[in-house]
Amino acid sequence: MKFNYLKKAASLAIAISMTAAIFTACGNENTSENSTPSTETSSTASNAEVNKDPLGKYDPEIDITFVRGIDDDLASNVLPKVPEDTLEDNRWTKVYKEELGINVKYAWTVKGNETSDAYLQKINVTLASGDIPDVVLVNPSQLKQLVDSDMVEDMTQYYNDYASEQFKEVMNVEGTGNVDSVTFDGKMMAIPEPVAMNETTQYLWIRNDWLKKLNLEAPKTMDDVLKIAEAFTTQDPDGNGKNDTYGLPITKDLYSGCMGLEGFFAGYHAYPNMWIEDDSGKLVWGSTLPETKVALQKLAEMYKKGQIDPEFGVKDGGKVAETVIAGKFGLDYGAQWNPMYPLISNFNNDKNADWTAYPIVSADDKKAMVPNKFSQTRIFAVKKGYKNPEALVKLFNMHIEKCWGETADFNKYYMPVENGAVGVWKLSPVCPAPAFKNLEAFVAIDECRKTGDFSKLTGEAKVIQGNIEAYEKGDDSMWGWEKIYGKNGAFLAMVDYRKNNQLLTEKFTGAPTPTMAEKKTTLDKMEKEVFVKIIMGSASIDEFDKFVSDWNKLGGEAMTKEVNEWYDSVKAK
């Protein structure tokens, strides 16, 4: 048996080495490891004997070992503010131990979230070694490699038997995408952390103080957006007498929830970087459609006029954020959370910076659909042979219960009021959340605004309203909460989006297809390189047509065929 397992591990190592030459990361100085070994379980009970109560307690206790990243939020906004908690011993590990009989341990931790280079390097080394802990946090491509190597448990029955009704509701509120993303040949091969597609929704953030200074009004069309971008570039909106401002911040990666281009493209009815339905009902990659070419042409014109940073093609999100913080921009296409990063830092530098979220506008009389991309990056796979796979499901159940269930203590487990540790939920290795919780909080607060009575607010909405009131009383650190949930906050536009049926959700939510696993990374890289060149003028707009042809020849056509086979099977259910 051990020989077969080693063969599987060797196959996985080869697969990973083909997709990332990163094994030198073992000695990365940002990595910190503890000595906790991967363990199967300390329980002698068989799976069939375990109580199927979604919140039932193990007796004797069992161990479950994870790996994880420590993102900036945890490192700077949580752990320093709750000194009584550590990553290994905190309010979440205690509740899992005391109420579920599950001891959470970590084989290793690394600085950075699950999409950071440090985490990806470390997890790929771990996967390639074949010595994986009880649970590994992976992305879709890594999950496929594990499934192909037969190294993880089929979680179908464990999810069906042990997931609480509330957890299942959270998983399915926006459709079957969460389950689809981890399903191979009809089997649910992991437990995904639910994706909230509506949280990828973009708004057009604008500095109202600059609009007023230049006698401009909020945009109603894309032509208005272009005029504002020109004015913010040429009319010295910051009043420093220098030609040092730009119209639109974008990064070398083009697509992002912050300083991304999805909202701009949508104004021209273009939806790159996602699978959408065409007029015939077939799925197509939005980046290859003619509308994308039109939007690229507009961006190239803006770049030529100096409205886009000439160095954007080599700047990642962090570098571009620095220029936004420094007050070089007054427009920003981004998600509802942008006031928390990077806009609040601009406000801290300039108290006149009055950023407000406006709905995305259209170039014509056809309404702009607002893209909601499905992007699954947090998938929890259970090592084959671990004796209590259902324990992972119970952790998900408990996280939801303690934040939003009947025994919820929101102020303790999610967002403590007393010390502002906003991300305390991240002390848990799993962090599921209801997809529409933020919108629901806004609606609850807005209803109370109409009556002037906030006494009925509970949970998250109550905490958020407290933050808004703190800002109104002079606490500038709460500025972002007012910009998101205030009477003119971002979710006001979301209410309109939903009322006008403007949300366009990505149609492909399945696990990676064979061609996708092999070719998509290369195709995405080619796409961004060509689009950046077109915008910067080093390639003509006609290069777009060659890109579409090359994309199809190099795997896009095969990938599209596979995606539509999946889509047909889903529609047939």
Side-chain angles (χ1 to χ4, degrees), residues 235-254:
Q235 296 183 29
D236 192 24
D238 59 357
N240 67 356
K242 299 178 181 178
N243 183 23
D244 60 353
T245 54
Y246 301 99
L248 186 67
I250 60 178
T251 78
K252 66 183 180 65
D253 296 312
L254 301 182

Side-chain angles (χ1 to χ4, degrees), residues 98-150:
E98 293 167 2
E99 298 195 27
L100 292 178
I102 299 175
N103 296 309
V104 172
K105 300 183 177 183
Y106 294 105
W108 55 258
T109 64
V110 65
K111 185 177 180 181
N113 66 18
E114 67 280 354
T115 63
S116 68
D117 289 343
Y119 183 85
L120 292 174
Q121 289 167 357
K122 185 65 176 175
I123 191 64
N124 276 300
V125 171
T126 298
L127 298 182
S129 74
D131 183 19
I132 63 175
D134 302 328
V135 180
V136 284
L137 172 58
V138 294
N139 61 33
S141 296
Q142 292 162 340
L143 175 64
K144 187 177 189 308
Q145 291 164 359
L146 287 168
V147 171
D148 290 345
S149 300
D150 193 27

Side-chain angles (χ1 to χ4, degrees), residues 477-498:
S477 69
M478 298 297 178
W479 177 85
W481 295 101
E482 200 280 331
K483 289 299 176 182
I484 299 171
Y485 295 95
K487 64 180 180 180
N488 294 314
F491 281 109
L492 188 64
M494 170 61 89
V495 171
D496 286 340
Y497 286 158
R498 288 169 63 85

Side-chain angles (χ1 to χ4, degrees), residues 32 68-75 79 87 109-113:
S32 62
R68 71 169 298 165
I70 305 173
D71 66 10
D72 291 341
D73 213 13
L74 269 176
L79 293 171
L87 196 66
T109 64
V110 65
K111 185 177 180 181
N113 66 18

Side-chain angles (χ1 to χ4, degrees), residues 174-321:
E174 286 189 298
T176 61
N178 288 306
V179 173
D180 292 342
S181 70
V182 297
T183 299
F184 296 80
D185 297 327
K187 299 177 180 179
M188 190 175 177
M189 297 305 296
I191 303 297
E193 199 165 279
V195 171
M197 283 188 280
N198 73 96
E199 287 298 303
T200 68
T201 300
Q202 285 201 348
Y203 310 85
L204 178 53
W205 292 93
I206 306 179
R207 281 190 62 164
N208 280 336
D209 55 310
W210 284 13
L211 286 181
K212 292 176 183 177
K213 181 175 182 179
L214 302 181
N215 294 315
L216 299 169
E217 295 189 2
K220 294 182 175 60
T221 68
M222 283 304 296
D223 280 345
D224 293 336
V225 172
L226 297 180
K227 290 175 183 177
I228 292 171
E230 181 180 16
F232 284 2
T233 303
T234 63
Q235 296 183 29
D236 192 24
D238 59 357
N240 67 356
K242 299 178 181 178
N243 183 23
D244 60 353
T245 54
Y246 301 99
L248 186 67
I250 60 178
T251 78
K252 66 183 180 65
D253 296 312
L254 301 182
Y255 315 120
S256 175
C258 181
M259 303 160 295
L261 282 175
E262 292 91 331
F264 183 93
F265 276 103
Y268 295 95
H269 314 298
Y271 308 100
N273 197 40
M274 62 186 289
W275 294 95
I276 61 174
E277 266 190 347
D278 65 10
D279 292 338
S280 68
K282 293 293 185 181
L283 294 191
V284 291
W285 186 240
S287 304
T288 64
L289 300 182
E291 291 84 356
T292 299
K293 182 178 181 180
V294 173
L296 285 172
Q297 178 71 61
K298 295 294 182 181
L299 289 166
E301 292 170 2
M302 292 177 69
Y303 182 88
K304 189 174 182 180
K305 294 176 181 177
Q307 297 170 15
I308 295 174
D309 182 350
E311 298 180 348
F312 89 90
V314 295
K315 289 185 175 180
D316 61 15
K319 286 294 183 184
V320 178

